[in-house]
Amino acid sequence: MAHRDWPPRPSLQAVRCSWLARAGVELALLRLDRIDPLISGNKWYKLAPHLAEARRLGAPGLISLGGAHSNHLHALAAAGARFGFATVGLLRGHAQDTPTVRDLQGFGMQLHWLGYGGYRERHSPGFWEPWRERYPAFLAVAEGGLSLAAAQSCAGLVEMIADGLAALGWDDYHELWAAAGSGTTLAGLVLGEAGRHPLVGCLALPADHGVPEAVARLLGEAGRAAGQGYRLVDASRGGFARLDGELARFILAFEAETGVPLEPLYTGKLLLALQEAVAQGAIARGSRVVAVHSGGLQGRRALDARLHELAAQS
Ligand SMILES: *Cc1c(COP(=O)(O)O)cnc(C)c1O
């Protein structure tokens, strides 16, 4: 089986909850979290072109970077195990034992901890040299899977949304919402939408962390004008890994009402930003909104206790 064809098409699922009902807004989630038990979310679509490239080059494996809870490394390690590539992960910080790290080891990923200073060097010119020597012919995948090919792969998600509308009884939707980390998925959605629907990118990192520029750069590489066909909302709540009581209570209530699990850093913050827009009346009654559930639930394991703790505080 060509691995490009492997994942099932994601479903589009209508969800009902009190704050949407009050505002008369309908929401459907593109459930990328459910395409596979291990290779979850948007990460599959971003990895697919890199895996195809590794196969084309006859590369023995792939090497990439991320943190101790990284959804990207998790998907890469799982895909490597499934499709027969060796994988190497360069990790931020010092050796830590997290559920993600245990999985990476279980998938057979070779791990190297770079410390914080060493990780900060990842954009400097000589960074890859020693790794190329150590792992000859391995394909290097940028942090977060960022590349134009990855964005173009994510552009296909728009078609999958279109394909799912009929089953909901929707003839169209009014807005598309998605979280942005590296900005690759969002850039892909901009390419796929080509201006057909307003697109809102919810920044998981504060706006001055380079994500708007990364989106603009990817669009530029694709020959599109930056800043057109989408708008950005800072959904980070003060920092990428920053959690708070309001977010925790929102996530737990949403999960209880809809049965859809969220992780706090991307999809939780995305839907809270949507709820805020709805509460402010920024989304007209009768609107139909599609939001991308980009997966990442493996990363929630390490944060679950903290979420419940925060939710209990007033
Ligand atoms: C990585 C990730 C994102 C962000 O995707 P980018 O393409 O890096 O912007 C969004 N949601 C989840 C759950 C993720 O793991």
Side-chain angles (χ1 to χ4, degrees):
M1 176 170 54
H3 54 243
R4 208 175 319 179
D5 305 325
W6 155 75
R9 316 266 297 174
S11 63
L12 198 57
Q13 183 196 351
V15 293
R16 275 165 242 293
C17 67
S18 48
W19 54 270
L20 289 163
R22 271 197 303 278
V25 172
E26 289 183 81
L27 174 65
L29 295 176
L30 185 69
R31 296 291 304 272
L32 303 186
D33 58 313
R34 297 214 297 200
I35 57 171
D36 184 83
L38 290 178
I39 311 175
S40 163
N42 59 340
K43 298 301 183 280
W44 161 255
Y45 301 95
K46 297 202 290 178
L47 281 174
H50 295 114
L51 294 170
E53 177 72 353
R55 182 148 301 181
R56 193 183 67 77
L57 295 171
L62 299 103
I63 179 166
S64 194
L65 324 90
H69 305 283
S70 168
N71 293 327
H72 165 65
L73 287 183
H74 196 271
L76 178 64
R82 182 166 311 166
F83 300 117
F85 290 106
T87 53
V88 177
L90 307 179
L91 283 112
R92 184 195 302 114
H94 304 289
Q96 260 188 78
D97 185 32
T98 67
T100 305
V101 167
R102 283 196 289 278
D103 281 355
L104 298 182
Q105 289 164 333
F107 295 137
M109 180 176 259
Q110 187 71 47
L111 305 184
H112 298 279
W113 295 89
L114 304 190
Y116 292 97
Y119 197 83
R120 238 174 275 127
E121 292 300 309
R122 66 195 180 281
H123 302 302
S124 58
F127 177 84
W128 285 102
E129 205 107 320
W131 300 112
R132 262 191 220 110
E133 268 169 41
R134 181 152 181 179
Y135 296 103
F138 272 54
L139 184 74
V141 178
E143 190 179 37
L146 180 139
S147 72
L148 178 59
Q152 284 163 335
S153 173
C154 292
L157 295 172
V158 173
E159 208 183 296
M160 297 178 200
I161 294 169
D163 288 347
L165 292 175
L168 300 183
W170 291 15
D171 52 0
D172 203 358
Y173 53 101
H174 299 94
E175 288 187 23
L176 174 58
W177 285 57
S182 71
T184 313
T185 304
L186 179 65
L189 294 172
V190 176
L191 297 176
E193 281 287 359
R196 279 187 286 269
H197 301 95
L199 170 57
V200 182
C202 290
L203 299 174
L205 290 81
D208 61 356
H209 280 50
V211 184
E213 292 78 6
V215 176
R217 218 163 28 244
L218 286 169
L219 292 174
E221 283 178 44
R224 301 288 179 89
Q228 280 182 25
Y230 64 101
R231 70 186 171 86
L232 300 174
V233 171
D234 184 343
S236 70
R237 307 184 70 77
F240 175 62
R242 195 76 66 83
L243 306 182
D244 58 75
E246 188 190 356
L247 175 69
R249 282 187 292 277
F250 171 79
I251 288 172
L252 296 175
F254 184 85
E255 290 179 336
E257 270 196 280
T258 65
V260 177
L262 303 174
E263 53 66 53
L265 306 185
Y266 295 101
T267 53
K269 288 181 179 179
L270 162 72
L271 289 170
L272 181 50
L274 175 65
Q275 190 241 26
E276 283 168 359
V278 165
Q280 286 158 11
I283 299 182
R285 188 165 280 278
S287 293
R288 288 173 163 164
V289 176
V290 174
V292 177
H293 190 317
S294 36
L297 295 169
Q298 72 81 26
R300 172 169 174 167
R301 293 172 294 178
L303 297 170
D304 200 54
R306 177 98 186 104
L307 266 189
H308 283 92
E309 218 175 272
L310 282 168
Q313 291 166 10
S314 52

